[in-house]
Amino acid sequence: MTSRAPRIAAWLAFLLPASLLGGALISQYVFGLYPCEMCYWQRWPHWAALALGGIAVLSVRRVQGLGVAMAALAAVAIAISGLIGGFHAGVEYGWWEGLTRCATAAPVGGTTDDVLNSIMSNPLVRCDTAPWSLFGISLAGYNFLLSLAGAGAIYVLLRRRKTGTIAA
């Protein structure tokens, strides 16, 4: 009897980044929590993981080796986003200084007046200030916790053998 663990891992590798990206986009476009530069850094690995997880879901039943490999790569991308989130959370909590101070969504181009007006009309978002927190944990902190836990769960699921036990 073959284990369902690779299929579960593939679905987790797809649904976790989809959920985290969905939450980030909802918080941005519905609740007005504009992302800073480091928030964008966290999104890029999740976009990659979403694509890899999608391939894993589509291929795990047909070509199980490909599905497992894609889920494993998605887990790595998810973990990378989590580590970036951990670094960002440390910047927000004042544990260390970040690589950047602030970001704006102002487009570059046009006349000097156009650029200046665009900068002034767009929100300035600081990377060292958490715009929202729950139980003292910022969004970057939740990304850290959920991403590393999810990547670990995918890894454990992929280590299962045909009998359903965890390989040594």
Side-chain angles (χ1 to χ4, degrees):
M1 179 174 151
T2 59
S3 173
R4 295 185 317 163
R7 283 184 294 183
I8 296 169
W11 276 104
L12 184 58
F14 176 73
L15 292 175
L16 180 64
S19 300
L20 292 173
L21 283 169
L25 293 172
I26 288 170
S27 70
Q28 178 179 351
Y29 292 109
V30 175
F31 299 113
L33 297 175
Y34 295 102
C36 69
E37 185 176 354
M38 293 175 77
C39 293
Y40 283 119
W41 295 352
Q42 295 170 68
R43 292 181 186 186
W44 288 110
H46 278 310
W47 284 114
L50 183 64
L52 293 166
I55 294 169
V57 166
L58 294 174
S59 64
V60 73
R61 283 186 172 227
R62 293 180 182 93
V63 185
Q64 189 172 10
L66 177 63
V68 167
M70 293 296 109
L73 288 173
V76 170
I78 291 167
I80 289 170
S81 178
L83 293 173
I84 295 169
F87 178 76
H88 186 190
V91 171
E92 290 174 337
Y93 300 142
W95 296 341
W96 47 75
E97 190 171 319
L99 304 175
T100 183
R101 285 285 180 199
C102 54
T104 184
V108 177
T111 67
T112 306
D113 288 335
D114 292 339
V115 172
L116 183 59
N117 289 334
S118 179
I119 289 172
M120 297 307 286
S121 66
N122 280 305
L124 186 65
V125 183
R126 295 180 54 95
C127 291
D128 59 353
T129 303
W132 180 89
S133 67
L134 179 65
F135 306 119
I137 302 173
S138 68
L139 289 172
Y142 279 110
N143 182 43
F144 170 75
L145 296 171
L146 294 172
S147 293
L148 291 185
I154 294 167
Y155 174 76
V156 167
L157 286 166
L158 292 177
R159 297 285 299 164
R160 296 209 173 184
R161 296 180 188 256
K162 290 183 179 182
T163 61
T165 61
I166 297 175

